[in-house]
């Protein structure tokens, strides 16, 4: 019998271990493939939907929704004086500053509901609703500035209301147009 140190035995040993080497290289390839699949799955999970604190549009939608829900609910109590009609120039005062009637309180409550729903939903929906609500509020502010002292003032708007609507509307518009660009790009790429 030949000793292991002889050259002939190395050839026999190499032939015997070749199947093991190919099996181990196949295992390494399979492991690297499964690692890349896991990495892709982790990447997909990471770009699905940013949290509320990571998405300015979602956070602002919830914040503005909270503000409008408080204003809207309290508005029903303060707008309920003897002269207030649902849509009319006469109404009550909220905190001795905001003029309102039940129609404006209803509008604020509807805006709050829309903002809450999308704020708890997703970034793309939050951006879209922030844009729409921002436009509605800016139009309402312009309407109030133009028609506040006329009979066309159906929401009992005063200057405080108009400034409030203008500020919140512009903030919503700027956030919808300027924030979450990377989040939206990643979400749209993931859907494609």
């Amino acid at each position: 019998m030949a000793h292991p140190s002889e050259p002939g035995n190395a050839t026999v040993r190499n032939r015997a271990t070749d199947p093991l080497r190919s099996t181990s290289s196949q295992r390494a390839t399979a492991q690297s493939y499964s690692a890349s699949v896991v990495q892709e799955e982790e990447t997909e999970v990471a770009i699905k939907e940013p949290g509320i604190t990571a998405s300015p549009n979602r956070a602002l939608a919830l914040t503005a929704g909270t503000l409008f829900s408080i204003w809207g609910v309290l508005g029903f109590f303060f707008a309920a004086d003897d002269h207030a009609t649902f849509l009319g120039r006469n109404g009550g005062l909220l905190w001795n500053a905001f003029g309102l009637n039940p129609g404006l309180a209803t509008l604020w409550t509807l805006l709050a509901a829309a903002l809450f729903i999308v704020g708890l939903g997703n970034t793309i929906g939050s951006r879209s609703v922030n844009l729409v609500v921002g436009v509605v509020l800016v139009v309402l502010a312009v309407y109030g500035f133009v028609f506040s002292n006329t009979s066309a003032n159906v929401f009992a708007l005063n200057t405080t209301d108009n400034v409030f609507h203008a500020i919140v509307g512009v903030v919503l518009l700027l956030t919808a147009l300027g924030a979450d660009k990377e989040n939206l790009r990643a979400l749209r790429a993931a859907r494609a």
Side-chain angles (χ1 to χ4, degrees), residues 45-121:
V45 169
I47 62 173
K48 276 192 176 177
E49 185 61 47
I52 293 170
T53 57
S55 171
N57 275 299
R58 289 181 68 191
L60 182 61
L62 288 174
T63 304
T66 302
L67 182 68
F68 279 115
S69 66
I70 293 169
W71 260 247
V73 170
L74 289 177
F76 286 114
F77 295 107
F78 287 97
D81 67 2
D82 295 335
H83 303 295
T85 59
F86 188 78
L87 291 175
R89 190 166 175 217
N90 297 326
L93 284 177
L94 178 62
W95 293 308
N96 291 325
F98 296 94
L100 70 152
N101 60 17
L104 184 60
T106 302
L107 178 65
W108 284 344
T109 306
L110 291 174
L111 293 177
L115 290 166
F116 269 134
I117 289 169
V118 298
L120 294 172

Side-chain angles (χ1 to χ4, degrees), residues 1-186:
M1 251 178 122
H3 291 20
S5 61
E6 294 178 13
N9 289 338
T11 307
V12 172
R13 195 171 345 143
N14 286 340
R15 282 190 210 144
T17 59
D18 278 344
L20 295 176
R21 284 186 190 150
S22 65
T23 304
S24 65
S25 68
Q26 289 172 350
R27 284 183 193 150
T29 304
Q31 287 174 348
S32 67
Y33 173 75
S34 61
S36 67
V37 169
V38 168
Q39 184 179 8
E40 287 176 14
E41 288 175 0
E42 288 175 356
T43 304
E44 288 177 13
V45 169
I47 62 173
K48 276 192 176 177
E49 185 61 47
I52 293 170
T53 57
S55 171
N57 275 299
R58 289 181 68 191
L60 182 61
L62 288 174
T63 304
T66 302
L67 182 68
F68 279 115
S69 66
I70 293 169
W71 260 247
V73 170
L74 289 177
F76 286 114
F77 295 107
F78 287 97
D81 67 2
D82 295 335
H83 303 295
T85 59
F86 188 78
L87 291 175
R89 190 166 175 217
N90 297 326
L93 284 177
L94 178 62
W95 293 308
N96 291 325
F98 296 94
L100 70 152
N101 60 17
L104 184 60
T106 302
L107 178 65
W108 284 344
T109 306
L110 291 174
L111 293 177
L115 290 166
F116 269 134
I117 289 169
V118 298
L120 294 172
N122 60 32
T123 303
I124 294 173
S126 296
R127 179 186 178 271
S128 300
V129 171
N130 285 351
L131 189 65
V132 170
V133 171
V135 168
V136 167
L137 290 175
V138 168
V139 167
L140 190 60
V142 170
Y143 174 84
F145 282 122
V146 172
F147 296 110
S148 65
N149 294 325
T150 67
S151 61
N153 185 4
V154 295
F155 290 116
L157 299 170
N158 62 14
T159 304
T160 308
D161 290 320
N162 300 333
V163 171
F164 170 71
H165 292 147
I167 290 171
V168 175
V170 168
V171 169
L172 284 167
L173 284 172
L174 291 176
T175 304
L177 296 174
D180 279 329
K181 288 186 178 184
E182 291 179 16
N183 290 336
L184 293 169
R185 194 175 304 122

